[in-house]
Amino acid sequence: MTKVSPSILSADFANLERDCRLVMDNGADMLHIDVMDGVFVPNISYGIPVVKSLRKVTDAFFDVHLMIIKPHLYAKKFCEAGADLVSFHIESESDVAETISIIKSCGKKAGLVIKPATPAEAVFPYLDQLDLVLVMSVEPGFGGQGFMENSLGKLKAISEEAKRRGLNDLYIEVDGGINGTTGRLCAENGANLLVAGSYVFGAQDVKAAIDSLKI
């Protein structure tokens, strides 16, 4: 069954603790925390103080996605602030192996992210070092975008390569335009972790929305 990681980018920031508790109490497996620097992506979200503050009020698993230009400079700080998993973009300016090593040295899980234009094969050299691969099915930076179907082939390729290597515990995550319909397509192509923002936080029935993603 797929796991669900609601993106707090779609939460009510005036009531962030309440909204995080709401989704966790209604079946979410973890919280997806999108960090944007206004350089790597054309948007700014939040940073270390928000992660640190949230850590004080929940024991939820923090799935932190760094959309920043130099993740190697900040990965350790996010780990110390309370992240359980830190993922970063292969397209960033940081050395991939070095950044993975920094995250792992903090005793945390490491993930690598690819944008829509980046082929699945780009992550293959690092698969054995990773706990997660995140396939972006929208251009990163803003919530509410439509799902890009070219992500399905990437999910399938990564899933098949992971199986070939016996990496049965690898999270294959997808983020962008996820709902009950696109989530099923992703699961059918190998995704086992779905990120959903507006579909969950904007739902009249949060539990029903989360349940529809448990495929």
Side-chain angles (χ1 to χ4, degrees):
M1 182 182 290
T2 53
K3 293 189 175 183
V4 181
S5 186
S7 171
I8 69 167
L9 196 62
S10 296
D12 177 357
F13 277 72
N15 296 282
L16 191 54
E17 178 185 353
R18 179 204 68 188
D19 279 11
C20 289
R21 289 189 186 279
L22 175 66
V23 296
M24 293 305 299
D25 289 345
N26 282 281
D29 297 284
M30 57 187 77
L31 295 173
H32 191 78
I33 301 176
D34 288 305
V35 178
M36 308 178 193
D37 63 359
V39 180
F40 185 74
V41 292
N43 196 9
I44 295 173
S45 57
Y46 40 72
I48 293 164
V50 169
V51 175
K52 197 170 184 179
S53 296
L54 270 182
R55 183 79 288 167
K56 294 176 183 176
V57 297
T58 178
D59 60 359
F61 186 96
F62 284 0
D63 166 24
V64 177
H65 174 194
L66 300 183
M67 287 177 262
I68 64 178
I69 198 73
K70 296 181 185 295
H72 73 286
L73 297 180
Y74 298 94
K76 183 178 180 181
K77 294 178 182 179
F78 277 98
C79 290
E80 292 171 345
D84 295 289
L85 183 151
V86 175
S87 59
F88 64 99
H89 278 261
I90 198 169
E91 305 92 353
S92 74
E93 292 182 1
S94 295
D95 179 86
V96 173
E98 177 190 358
T99 309
I100 292 170
S101 179
I102 290 169
I103 298 166
K104 293 283 194 176
S105 72
C106 295
K108 308 296 184 175
K109 296 183 183 298
L112 196 55
V113 192
I114 53 173
K115 289 183 178 182
T118 301
E121 291 75 17
V123 304
F124 287 6
Y126 309 102
L127 274 186
D128 297 287
Q129 305 167 50
L130 296 170
D131 300 287
L132 173 146
V133 175
L134 168 53
V135 174
M136 294 300 300
S137 47
V138 297
E139 286 297 335
F142 294 91
Q145 297 180 63
F147 179 80
M148 294 182 179
E149 291 205 3
N150 72 329
S151 62
L152 297 176
K154 294 190 208 178
L155 291 169
K156 188 173 183 180
I158 293 165
S159 175
E160 289 177 349
E161 182 65 14
K163 286 177 183 174
R164 190 184 71 79
R165 299 190 192 190
L167 302 174
N168 301 319
D169 294 329
L170 181 71
Y171 280 125
I172 301 173
E173 185 175 44
V174 58
D175 181 4
I178 298 299
N179 55 39
T181 301
T182 57
R184 182 165 296 279
L185 288 172
C186 292
E188 289 171 352
N189 282 276
N192 54 26
L193 179 57
L194 304 177
V195 177
S198 51
Y199 180 70
V200 170
F201 283 103
Q204 288 190 331
D205 187 335
V206 170
K207 185 177 188 305
I210 292 172
D211 286 348
S212 73
L213 300 175
K214 301 268 188 171
I215 301 158

PDB file of all heavy atoms in Angstrom, residues 21 77 91 94 125 151 183 198 208:
ATOM      1  N   ARG A  21      -1.574  18.307  12.681  1.00  0.00           N
ATOM      2  CA  ARG A  21      -2.213  17.298  13.520  1.00  0.00           C
ATOM      3  C   ARG A  21      -3.409  16.681  12.798  1.00  0.00           C
ATOM      4  O   ARG A  21      -3.657  15.468  12.887  1.00  0.00           O
ATOM      5  CB  ARG A  21      -2.667  17.915  14.842  1.00  0.00           C
ATOM      6  CG  ARG A  21      -1.532  18.278  15.788  1.00  0.00           C
ATOM      7  CD  ARG A  21      -2.075  18.685  17.158  1.00  0.00           C
ATOM      8  NE  ARG A  21      -1.016  19.175  18.012  1.00  0.00           N
ATOM      9  CZ  ARG A  21      -0.173  18.407  18.700  1.00  0.00           C
ATOM     10  NH1 ARG A  21      -0.263  17.101  18.587  1.00  0.00           N
ATOM     11  NH2 ARG A  21       0.739  18.950  19.476  1.00  0.00           N
ATOM     12  N   LYS A  77      21.928  21.412   9.082  1.00  0.00           N
ATOM     13  CA  LYS A  77      21.092  22.275   9.921  1.00  0.00           C
ATOM     14  C   LYS A  77      19.645  21.805   9.927  1.00  0.00           C
ATOM     15  O   LYS A  77      18.964  21.871  10.965  1.00  0.00           O
ATOM     16  CB  LYS A  77      21.197  23.722   9.437  1.00  0.00           C
ATOM     17  CG  LYS A  77      22.584  24.316   9.612  1.00  0.00           C
ATOM     18  CD  LYS A  77      22.655  25.729   9.066  1.00  0.00           C
ATOM     19  CE  LYS A  77      24.063  26.305   9.211  1.00  0.00           C
ATOM     20  NZ  LYS A  77      24.176  27.674   8.658  1.00  0.00           N
ATOM     21  N   GLU A  91      19.865  18.531  -9.629  1.00  0.00           N
ATOM     22  CA  GLU A  91      20.176  19.695 -10.484  1.00  0.00           C
ATOM     23  C   GLU A  91      20.769  20.862  -9.690  1.00  0.00           C
ATOM     24  O   GLU A  91      21.083  21.908 -10.268  1.00  0.00           O
ATOM     25  CB  GLU A  91      18.910  20.172 -11.203  1.00  0.00           C
ATOM     26  CG  GLU A  91      18.191  19.109 -12.006  1.00  0.00           C
ATOM     27  CD  GLU A  91      17.107  18.383 -11.220  1.00  0.00           C
ATOM     28  OE1 GLU A  91      17.002  18.618  -9.983  1.00  0.00           O
ATOM     29  OE2 GLU A  91      16.382  17.575 -11.830  1.00  0.00           O
ATOM     30  N   SER A  94      25.289  21.520  -5.540  1.00  0.00           N
ATOM     31  CA  SER A  94      26.056  20.728  -4.573  1.00  0.00           C
ATOM     32  C   SER A  94      26.493  19.392  -5.165  1.00  0.00           C
ATOM     33  O   SER A  94      25.808  18.818  -6.015  1.00  0.00           O
ATOM     34  CB  SER A  94      25.208  20.467  -3.322  1.00  0.00           C
ATOM     35  OG  SER A  94      24.918  21.674  -2.654  1.00  0.00           O
ATOM     36  N   PRO A 125      23.270   6.097 -10.541  1.00  0.00           N
ATOM     37  CA  PRO A 125      24.581   5.923  -9.902  1.00  0.00           C
ATOM     38  C   PRO A 125      24.541   6.052  -8.375  1.00  0.00           C
ATOM     39  O   PRO A 125      25.476   5.632  -7.698  1.00  0.00           O
ATOM     40  CB  PRO A 125      25.421   7.052 -10.510  1.00  0.00           C
ATOM     41  CG  PRO A 125      24.750   7.377 -11.801  1.00  0.00           C
ATOM     42  CD  PRO A 125      23.295   7.195 -11.533  1.00  0.00           C
ATOM     43  N   SER A 151       6.108  11.722 -16.059  1.00  0.00           N
ATOM     44  CA  SER A 151       6.703  11.226 -14.816  1.00  0.00           C
ATOM     45  C   SER A 151       6.437   9.732 -14.622  1.00  0.00           C
ATOM     46  O   SER A 151       7.186   9.054 -13.911  1.00  0.00           O
ATOM     47  CB  SER A 151       6.161  12.004 -13.613  1.00  0.00           C
ATOM     48  OG  SER A 151       4.765  11.828 -13.499  1.00  0.00           O
ATOM     49  N   GLY A 183      -2.792   9.628  -8.492  1.00  0.00           N
ATOM     50  CA  GLY A 183      -2.108   8.816  -7.491  1.00  0.00           C
ATOM     51  C   GLY A 183      -2.140   7.339  -7.849  1.00  0.00           C
ATOM     52  O   GLY A 183      -1.144   6.626  -7.704  1.00  0.00           O
ATOM     53  N   SER A 198      -2.786  20.441  -1.980  1.00  0.00           N
ATOM     54  CA  SER A 198      -4.140  20.993  -2.005  1.00  0.00           C
ATOM     55  C   SER A 198      -5.202  19.910  -1.997  1.00  0.00           C
ATOM     56  O   SER A 198      -6.294  20.094  -1.449  1.00  0.00           O
ATOM     57  CB  SER A 198      -4.311  21.907  -3.227  1.00  0.00           C
ATOM     58  OG  SER A 198      -3.906  21.251  -4.416  1.00  0.00           O
ATOM     59  N   ALA A 208     -11.019  10.987   3.901  1.00  0.00           N
ATOM     60  CA  ALA A 208     -11.392  10.351   2.633  1.00  0.00           C
ATOM     61  C   ALA A 208     -10.349  10.639   1.563  1.00  0.00           C
ATOM     62  O   ALA A 208     -10.014   9.762   0.751  1.00  0.00           O
ATOM     63  CB  ALA A 208     -12.766  10.842   2.182  1.00  0.00           C
TER      64      ALA A 208
END
